[in-house]
Amino acid sequence: MGNETITSGPAQSAAQHSLPPLVEPAGSLTPEEVQRYSRHLIIPEVGMPGQLRLKNARVLVIGAGGLGSPALLYLAAAGVGTLGIVDDDVVEASNLQRQVIHGVSDVGRAKAESARSSIEELNPGVDVVLHRVRLAASNALEIFAGYDLILDGTDNFATRYLVNDAAALLGKPYVWGSILRFDGQVSVFWDAHGPNYRDLYPQAPPPGSVPSCAEGGVLGVLCAQIGSVMANEAVKLITGIGRPLLGRVLIFDALAMTWRELRVRKDPDAAPITALGDYEAFCGLLPADDDAAAAVPVVTAAELAGMLASRQDGRSRFELIDVREPGEYSIVNIPGARLLPQGRILSGELLPELPRDEDIVLHCKSGARSAAVLAFLQQQGFVRVKHLEGGILEWIRQVEPAKPVY
């Protein structure tokens, strides 16, 4: 899941007291529930009223991945009555390093189904509702309407802005988390009571400038550290106890084992959120029009295979540049590719390494980073440059299926 560099407006004091409880109490607990939740019931701040609120709560978790896994497990263990899961992905072997809600036997299975099985094993009293769809502007409001609280554990900016705007339109709070490598961030956004995600990030970063966890890596245990904080914030909001992270971003460095806090205020000049928009376009993930899409020079995996064969026979010359990171290159690479990481090209450091009088083909993992480097090189006057459509993932699928996928 991707991380960001924190920037915000002037600080102001966050709320010093808890907000009113988000959920009304359920009628009662069964004797079995009293036994199960006894350690909550003897905490004065939670007690029977708090546990009854948890039982009556409906929480939607976006993504049953690195952050969704611990959050779902701890919310289920805490006794949240209804948990919704939005996820259209399937379990892969590379998920098991951090997505602890899934196991080896779940590889190839829908993540939502796998997560439901784990929750039912942990606490059969929780009602699990599956939304096996990709969250989009066309379905977000309808899905969100059935829940009291949203937890966003996704790893892309387009979905984060969508979650923010849909929650704001419906007046619902949401808990946000973000992780990359050794760093994590957590906050609570609630437009009706404080800042929302757009107050923290008015504009999305340029495409490819911030790697996802799939591109940059993530320490597995970091998911538990941030995901459990997200679950903690959800419990506080539901029960109305403690001081929520509304107006505050908690920033964690797992290597230094330090937590620090950034205050965030609501921007009084920001335009109100009145409708959902085109979030792919807002984040620069789609070309502005069909002509722009056609103008992006690409090669397919099959075409690149032919080009490499011709180069090996001496019938053609071109440079194949891998713009990923060294760790990715060590896992899997295309024969004949030269590693020149994206950041060092965009900084200008490696520009002298690139020939201007020879064809260049760029590639990354899926195509986003190589497209960003291509655009940069075009701005620098390079005209004989293309990039691999679909990245090395598409190369593996079409050309070398025996190679590992990460």
Side-chain angles (χ1 to χ4, degrees), residues 39 59 101 126 153 171 209 217 224 235 241 257 264 274 290 320 323 373:
R39 300 305 188 271
V59 176
I101 205 166
V126 175
S209 63
V235 169
I241 63 173
M257 194 51 67
V264 182
T274 58
D290 293 340
L320 177 59
V323 302
V373 174

Side-chain angles (χ1 to χ4, degrees), residues 267-329:
D267 183 355
D269 299 321
I273 298 168
T274 58
L276 301 183
D278 186 338
Y279 297 94
E280 298 284 317
F282 176 76
C283 293
L285 301 177
L286 295 177
D289 50 45
D290 293 340
D291 291 339
V296 177
V298 301
V299 298
T300 67
E303 290 170 341
L304 178 59
M307 293 171 64
L308 287 170
S310 295
R311 188 175 74 171
Q312 188 172 10
D313 294 342
R315 290 179 285 127
S316 68
R317 287 176 56 84
F318 72 96
E319 282 272 10
L320 177 59
I321 304 299
D322 186 336
V323 302
R324 298 176 301 154
E325 296 300 313
E328 296 176 273
Y329 186 88

Side-chain angles (χ1 to χ4, degrees), residues 93-346:
S94 62
N95 300 149
L96 304 183
Q97 165 255 7
R98 64 201 176 281
Q99 299 181 17
V100 294
I101 205 166
H102 313 297
V104 173
S105 63
D106 296 312
V107 172
R109 189 181 181 194
K111 284 186 179 180
E113 296 281 357
S114 170
R116 178 168 62 183
S117 296
S118 296
I119 291 169
E120 289 174 344
E121 175 66 20
L122 177 63
N123 190 348
V126 175
D127 182 23
V128 182
V129 181
L130 304 186
H131 304 275
R132 289 188 56 189
V133 297
R134 182 171 294 277
L135 193 69
S138 60
N139 59 26
L141 293 175
E142 180 181 359
I143 294 173
F144 284 20
Y147 296 90
D148 305 302
L149 173 66
I150 316 299
L151 264 75
D152 177 18
T154 58
D155 66 350
N156 68 87
F157 288 95
T159 304
R160 290 170 183 166
Y161 284 104
L162 168 60
V163 172
N164 176 79
D165 293 359
L169 287 172
L170 294 173
K172 298 180 185 292
Y174 82 98
V175 181
W176 162 77
S178 174
I179 50 175
L180 181 66
R181 294 175 179 159
F182 301 101
D183 301 317
Q185 304 167 17
V186 191
S187 191
V188 171
F189 299 111
W190 196 353
D191 194 57
H193 294 276
N196 64 60
Y197 186 74
R198 289 182 181 273
D199 294 311
L200 185 61
Y201 297 107
Q203 297 294 330
S209 63
V210 180
S212 67
C213 290
E215 297 167 340
V218 61
L219 185 69
V221 70
L222 180 67
C223 300
Q225 292 163 316
I226 299 301
S228 63
V229 175
M230 295 172 70
N232 182 73
E233 290 303 298
V235 169
K236 287 159 56 183
L237 289 166
I238 290 165
T239 57
I241 63 173
R243 179 188 175 200
L245 281 173
L246 185 64
R248 299 183 290 152
V249 180
L250 201 59
I251 304 169
F252 178 57
D253 181 339
L255 282 182
M257 194 51 67
T258 58
W259 296 86
R260 63 188 179 92
E261 183 181 298
L262 174 77
R263 303 288 179 86
V264 182
R265 68 177 179 89
K266 194 170 185 64
D267 183 355
D269 299 321
I273 298 168
T274 58
L276 301 183
D278 186 338
Y279 297 94
E280 298 284 317
F282 176 76
C283 293
L285 301 177
L286 295 177
D289 50 45
D290 293 340
D291 291 339
V296 177
V298 301
V299 298
T300 67
E303 290 170 341
L304 178 59
M307 293 171 64
L308 287 170
S310 295
R311 188 175 74 171
Q312 188 172 10
D313 294 342
R315 290 179 285 127
S316 68
R317 287 176 56 84
F318 72 96
E319 282 272 10
L320 177 59
I321 304 299
D322 186 336
V323 302
R324 298 176 301 154
E325 296 300 313
E328 296 176 273
Y329 186 88
S330 69
I331 295 172
V332 60
N333 57 76
I334 299 176
R338 186 155 63 108
L339 179 64
L340 298 179
Q342 174 197 26
R344 296 177 65 191
I345 296 176
L346 297 182

Side-chain angles (χ1 to χ4, degrees), residues 8-83:
S8 73
Q12 72 172 17
S13 296
Q16 298 299 315
H17 303 289
S18 60
L19 294 163
L22 188 61
V23 179
E24 292 298 316
S28 62
L29 298 180
T30 66
E32 293 78 14
E33 288 172 332
V34 170
Q35 182 179 15
R36 174 183 282 268
Y37 305 124
S38 61
R39 300 305 188 271
H40 274 178
L41 298 176
I42 60 177
I43 301 174
E45 291 83 357
V46 180
M48 183 63 73
Q51 195 62 49
L52 291 172
R53 294 184 195 280
L54 289 168
K55 183 176 181 177
N56 205 30
R58 299 177 60 86
V59 176
L60 181 68
V61 178
I62 314 296
L67 293 175
S69 290
L72 284 164
L73 290 172
Y74 272 106
L75 291 173
V80 171
T82 301
L83 285 173

